Amino acid sequence: MAVEELRPENFVFFGDDDENVAYDRAWFNIMRVHRKLLPEITKALKTCGINDPIWIEILLEVERSGAAGQPMSALEDKLSVPQYALSRHVSRLEKEGFLRREFIADGRRKQILFLTEKGSGAHDQIWQTYGDAMRSELSPHLSTDEAYALSWLLMKLLA
């Protein structure tokens, strides 16, 4: 279906008796697409020493924060990653030499993340591989207009 056909009246072909089923369909298809596309993209990133696509997002956000560093609590919110999972990824990025963290004693356990020499610019170095993998998985199924439309719809879910 072309982007210009993405109107509610064109979705009657599903034949659902209950229009609420649309939300079920949306959810299950988001999850299935994620499971289908993630393995190949992850495989490509591993050739660059990146074991999980979330690592790219973490490195990018820490790089964007500059010399002040990236507070871990703010990163949880930006990336919609629970604290325990983010902490695990940060530990792995530390072990691989991409990040370092400083603990700030301010009455709370506050952590600030900084790029190491290895992590500095890593996003730029890895981006070509990541971009190629994403395009390889998506471009056979979506035109650029459809990719923009899908991006817009998904961003609505993040708002």
Side-chain angles (χ1 to χ4, degrees):
M1 183 173 288
V3 173
E4 59 275 0
E5 297 173 10
L6 291 175
R7 294 185 305 270
E9 63 269 19
N10 291 335
F11 292 105
V12 295
F13 67 89
F14 279 115
D16 298 326
D17 292 331
D18 179 355
E19 66 183 28
N20 289 318
V21 172
Y23 300 107
D24 303 342
R25 288 183 183 278
W27 176 253
F28 286 113
N29 284 307
I30 288 168
M31 297 305 294
R32 288 177 184 148
V33 167
H34 179 262
R35 287 190 302 267
K36 178 183 179 190
L37 303 182
L38 189 63
E40 285 301 315
I41 292 171
T42 301
K43 183 177 169 184
L45 286 173
K46 285 185 177 187
T47 66
C48 301
I50 300 297
N51 292 325
D52 191 301
I54 193 71
W55 288 18
I56 296 290
E57 292 182 69
I58 293 168
L59 291 173
L60 177 61
E61 291 301 328
V62 174
E63 186 174 340
R64 284 179 175 164
S65 67
Q70 175 66 57
M72 194 132 141
S73 58
L75 197 55
E76 291 171 35
D77 294 335
K78 284 181 185 177
L79 300 180
S80 299
V81 177
Q83 183 277 327
Y84 70 90
L86 182 59
S87 184
R88 186 175 63 237
H89 289 299
V90 166
S91 292
R92 291 174 181 160
L93 281 162
E94 268 187 307
K95 183 178 179 186
E96 294 295 324
F98 289 103
L99 290 179
R100 68 178 174 81
R101 61 176 133 185
E102 289 183 11
F103 294 88
I104 308 297
D106 66 349
R108 299 176 291 165
R109 244 180 89 104
K110 189 173 184 182
Q111 299 176 43
I112 309 293
L113 305 175
F114 299 91
L115 292 178
T116 61
E117 187 175 324
K118 180 179 179 179
S120 184
H123 181 267
D124 292 338
Q125 296 166 1
I126 296 161
W127 187 252
Q128 186 64 48
T129 300
Y130 195 25
D132 289 347
M134 287 185 289
R135 285 184 291 279
S136 174
E137 291 298 309
L138 295 173
S139 65
H141 309 286
L142 299 172
S143 68
T144 54
D145 285 345
E146 290 168 330
Y148 280 125
L150 178 59
S151 294
W152 180 79
L153 291 169
L154 292 170
M155 287 186 304
K156 282 181 69 171
L157 294 175
L158 293 171

